[in-house]
Amino acid sequence: MGLQEIADRVAKAESAAGRPAQSVKLIAVSKVQPNERVEAVLAQGHRCFGENRVQEAAGKWPAFREKFDGIDLHLIGPLQTNKARQSFDLFQSIHSLDRPKLAKTFARLAQEVGHCPDLFIQVNTGEEPQKAGILPADADAFIQDCIAMDLPITGLMSIPPAEEEASLHFALLAKIAARNGLAGLSMGMSGDFEKAIALGATHIRVGSAIFGERVAT
């Protein structure tokens, strides 16, 4: 499909929702993609990318940063506490703050190093036992705890259950964010990002539709 077609669809969805042009950030999910595909998208001028694993990002992005200015890298996968310090050096945003232990680690590191990536709290809107994230019933208290730690909470993130109507989960996430005064909504992927934009997404995550099918190594 390619970057330009996705960008055109994002622009059309923004317009249809009555939202300003370029109000939605397109995160090109580059996990498990060959470097030449990533570089081709960089060469087209795109600068916002998403990775799932700290280790993979560490092996890929320092070299790209030497060649391309203004890269905005987002961690969209689960984060082990012992990789938190390394994530501070690599990422501008982390979308997977999903438990109190990780929040406390972020707060300690932010004090130590003097900065912290923008943070999205992951909410398990489908209450799926196999999926990470704060349960909706616990979200308000966790958000307030994180804010009390002076963490830079930008917004919320969710990955709806594959077999359920995504719009219901997007609407729930937006409702939780609104009542907690959070503007950021990281929601929507290749198959449903237009629905997410209609319901207020500020960040969408699109991978194979931009790069082609993933190539596992």
Side-chain angles (χ1 to χ4, degrees):
M1 195 171 293
L3 176 65
Q4 190 56 54
E5 186 173 337
I6 295 297
D8 290 346
R9 285 172 58 189
V10 170
K12 193 177 289 186
E14 286 171 335
S15 176
R19 297 180 58 186
Q22 300 182 320
S23 58
V24 177
K25 185 170 279 194
L26 171 58
I27 301 171
V29 180
S30 47
K31 64 177 183 179
V32 205
Q33 291 289 351
N35 282 0
E36 58 269 22
R37 289 189 185 176
V38 179
E39 186 156 0
V41 173
L42 280 161
Q44 292 177 69
H46 195 73
R47 290 293 181 269
C48 183
F49 292 83
E51 290 284 342
N52 255 44
R53 293 170 62 238
V54 173
Q55 194 171 344
E56 184 183 347
K60 180 188 296 181
W61 286 98
F64 282 141
R65 286 190 191 280
E66 289 182 12
K67 195 169 180 180
F68 298 95
D69 291 333
I71 289 171
D72 180 22
L73 197 58
H74 296 244
L75 180 66
I76 58 174
L79 180 62
Q80 295 171 296
T81 308
N82 64 0
K83 296 279 177 63
R85 182 181 293 274
Q86 191 179 9
S87 75
F88 270 43
D89 296 331
L90 282 166
F91 298 98
Q92 283 63 62
S93 299
I94 294 172
H95 292 237
S96 45
L97 173 50
D98 62 358
R99 58 197 187 278
K101 183 182 179 184
L102 188 58
K104 289 171 185 168
T105 300
F106 282 161
R108 176 176 56 78
L109 286 171
Q111 291 296 319
E112 284 181 21
V113 303
H115 72 90
C116 183
D118 290 336
L119 301 173
F120 290 79
I121 292 170
Q122 183 171 353
V123 180
N124 185 354
T125 56
E127 302 185 26
E128 298 174 274
Q130 79 281 10
K131 197 173 279 183
I134 300 294
L135 294 175
D138 301 328
D140 292 353
F142 184 67
I143 291 165
Q144 296 310 314
D145 287 347
C146 290
I147 291 170
M149 289 185 229
D150 287 330
L151 290 173
I153 304 300
T154 297
L156 306 179
M157 183 272 257
S158 77
I159 305 169
E163 69 284 355
E164 294 186 18
E165 173 50 56
S167 294
L168 299 175
H169 295 271
F170 297 154
L172 173 59
L173 196 73
K175 188 176 179 182
I176 297 170
R179 69 174 179 242
N180 285 281
L182 297 175
L185 288 168
S186 173
M187 59 189 197
M189 297 187 284
S190 293
D192 55 23
F193 68 80
E194 280 110 340
K195 291 178 180 178
I197 290 170
L199 288 163
T202 58
H203 297 67
I204 60 171
R205 310 178 298 272
V206 180
S208 55
I210 292 173
F211 294 102
E213 289 304 313
R214 291 187 205 122
V215 180
T217 52

